[in-house]
Amino acid sequence: MQIVPSLFAADFVHLGDDIQRVEKAGVKMLHVDIMDGHFVPNFTMGTPITEAVRRFTRLKLDHHLMIEDPDTYAPIFIKAGADCVSVQYEVCRNLDRTLHMIQDHGAKAGVVINPATPVGLLENVLDIVDYVLVMSVNPGYGGQAFIPHSLEKVRDLRRRRAERDLTFNIEIDGGVGSDNIGEVARAGVDWVVAGSSVFHTADPAEAVREMMRAAEEATSVKV
Ligand code: DX5
Ligand code: ZN
């Protein structure tokens, strides 16, 4: 299991410092939230940030597109430096085509489901996707409360993955911190996005380490 810090919660005036802090804690990937003010009622960052971060770090950049038109913008973010790009199920009319397009541009392709979107709708793309992102809050804002039924979706995805012998990763996003990472880890998530619980603390590196410790403790087999 990996912690994937979300830059949305970082200090944009000192973004490089915040990235170095979590790098020091051993993270392998950063989560980059892209919002267009249409799919969600908020804006975040565009390609200049992706390009700057790409020049600054070798960490993988996981882009979460909360936008109405991922077909136009996914290639632009990949060119700017995104390694992984996820698109919201709710906006994709031709999801199969969109996922292949992302992979053809050289990135890992993920599909995101909102809290009200059932896992069953992904049945016919689970053999295509590199990862599935389960939203555990409604997208658009950081610092919201975790929606518990998201963990049932994670367990459902794990069952489907095992039954069909597939290899996609399972990511969760929203409301995860040291208080609930134990149950998130036990549900079997591979990538845990964490924004405010990492960057809105005095020591983001220690926050990451603390969450990793809590996750390990929750999943270690007691003998
Ligand atoms: C919410 C974003 C999240 C957000 C998570 O729309 O997709 O990635 O940064 O923030 P926290 O961890 O504070 O809930
Ligand atoms: Zn996100």
Side-chain angles (χ1 to χ4, degrees):
M1 201 213 73
Q2 290 183 36
I3 305 283
V4 186
S6 170
L7 293 188
F8 187 27
D11 178 349
F12 278 30
V13 174
H14 304 287
L15 190 53
D17 294 347
D18 270 359
I19 291 171
Q20 278 175 339
R21 288 190 176 103
V22 293
E23 254 179 357
K24 226 171 46 189
V27 309
K28 299 190 178 69
M29 187 155 70
L30 298 170
H31 187 78
V32 186
D33 286 305
I34 308 297
M35 303 184 187
D36 65 354
H38 291 279
F39 178 68
V40 288
N42 204 356
F43 293 99
T44 48
M45 37 215 156
T47 50
I49 302 276
T50 299
E51 285 163 3
V53 172
R54 179 71 297 155
R55 283 194 299 271
F56 184 76
T57 179
R58 291 190 162 170
L59 296 180
K60 298 267 183 222
L61 301 180
D62 167 34
H63 278 55
H64 173 193
L65 303 188
M66 284 161 276
I67 65 177
E68 296 273 345
D69 184 6
D71 292 314
T72 299
Y73 293 103
I76 293 172
F77 280 102
I78 294 167
K79 190 156 177 265
D83 301 284
C84 307
V85 174
S86 62
V87 294
Q88 293 275 163
Y89 173 86
E90 299 79 11
V91 300
C92 291
R93 292 203 189 117
N94 299 289
L95 180 59
D96 179 295
R97 179 188 289 154
T98 301
L99 294 168
H100 281 118
M101 179 272 289
I102 291 169
Q103 289 165 338
D104 289 347
H105 279 81
K108 302 276 184 214
V111 63
V112 192
I113 47 172
N114 272 349
T117 305
V119 165
L121 293 171
L122 301 182
E123 192 58 24
N124 292 343
V125 294
L126 291 180
D127 56 343
I128 301 171
V129 289
D130 297 295
Y131 62 111
V132 175
L133 169 48
V134 175
M135 285 309 294
S136 42
V137 297
N138 285 290
Y141 302 96
Q144 302 181 81
F146 185 81
I147 298 173
H149 81 79
S150 320
L151 295 183
E152 193 38 58
K153 289 179 164 180
V154 170
R155 288 187 277 267
D156 188 349
L157 281 164
R158 278 181 69 200
R159 274 194 296 273
R160 290 169 197 259
R161 182 172 66 183
E163 274 165 23
R164 294 174 58 186
D165 209 11
L166 297 172
T167 56
F168 60 84
N169 287 117
I170 303 172
E171 183 174 31
I172 200 158
D173 183 7
V176 183
S178 54
D179 53 327
N180 59 2
I181 193 149
E183 49 179 339
V184 169
R186 275 197 299 270
V189 177
D190 304 302
W191 301 344
V192 178
V193 176
S196 38
S197 59
V198 169
F199 289 116
H200 296 180
T201 64
D203 186 346
E206 183 49 29
V208 170
R209 289 192 202 104
E210 166 61 29
M211 274 198 270
M212 285 306 294
R213 277 197 293 272
E216 272 156 31
E217 200 171 302
T219 50
S220 65
V221 183
K222 307 268 182 321
V223 283

